[in-house]
Amino acid sequence: MTEAKVRITPYAHVLAVPDLAHSARYFRDALGFRLEWEDGLNWNCLVRDGARVMIGHCPDQIRPAETGDHSYFGYFHVDDIDALHREIVARGAIVMAEPADKRWGMREMPVATPDGHRMMFGQRLRRG
């Protein structure tokens, strides 16, 4: 008898944040996410085009900026990284470097949150 494979699909990146309201405003105002749901003063789930970030209020934990490279939490594929760069720079996002072509076939841009979480946005390069 063959077991059916269990399908796993992406849902959300989960982040501990020291100030829930401040972090939610950054994802909304600077990165263009919208609030999908909230659980009182403990959790918010924000979404943009199906990419979700769940942020949990954890004021007494280590600050993300103190974790070095471990502060990277996600890689988001986009269809136009240069347009995203223009959009989020105009919104006040913390863009750590301009979009750049990488030898592994991606054009990438690192972005940070005020707390020090970091994420990478990437667009696949067209090969001619």
Side-chain angles (χ1 to χ4, degrees), residues 18-33:
D19 183 331
L20 185 64
H22 181 70
S23 294
R25 271 192 308 276
Y26 179 77
F27 275 94
R28 186 189 67 228
D29 298 344
L31 300 179
F33 282 68

Side-chain angles (χ1 to χ4, degrees), residues 62-74 96 111-113 115-119:
I62 296 171
R63 298 286 193 240
E66 297 173 19
T67 63
D69 284 342
H70 292 284
S71 67
Y72 272 101
F73 72 88
M96 300 166 58
V111 176
T113 69
D115 301 319
H117 285 107
R118 297 183 288 174
M119 65 205 97

Side-chain angles (χ1 to χ4, degrees), residues 80-93:
D80 189 338
I81 194 132
D82 295 301
L84 178 66
H85 176 260
R86 288 188 299 275
E87 173 196 333
I88 67 175
V89 164
R91 292 170 165 263

Side-chain angles (χ1 to χ4, degrees), residues 42-124:
N42 297 313
W43 288 96
N44 279 188
C45 183
L46 297 112
V47 63
R48 178 171 174 167
D49 302 321
R52 287 179 178 81
V53 177
M54 290 174 56
I55 54 176
H57 184 64
C58 300
D60 300 325
Q61 297 304 309
I62 296 171
R63 298 286 193 240
E66 297 173 19
T67 63
D69 284 342
H70 292 284
S71 67
Y72 272 101
F73 72 88
Y75 192 106
F76 298 93
H77 278 203
V78 298
D79 58 5
D80 189 338
I81 194 132
D82 295 301
L84 178 66
H85 176 260
R86 288 188 299 275
E87 173 196 333
I88 67 175
V89 164
R91 292 170 165 263
I94 304 166
V95 176
M96 300 166 58
E98 302 283 318
D101 295 352
K102 302 299 182 179
R103 68 178 186 275
W104 47 87
M106 298 297 290
R107 183 165 174 77
E108 296 179 335
M109 172 182 64
V111 176
T113 69
D115 301 319
H117 285 107
R118 297 183 288 174
M119 65 205 97
M120 187 68 70
F121 291 90
Q123 176 183 353
R124 191 169 312 284

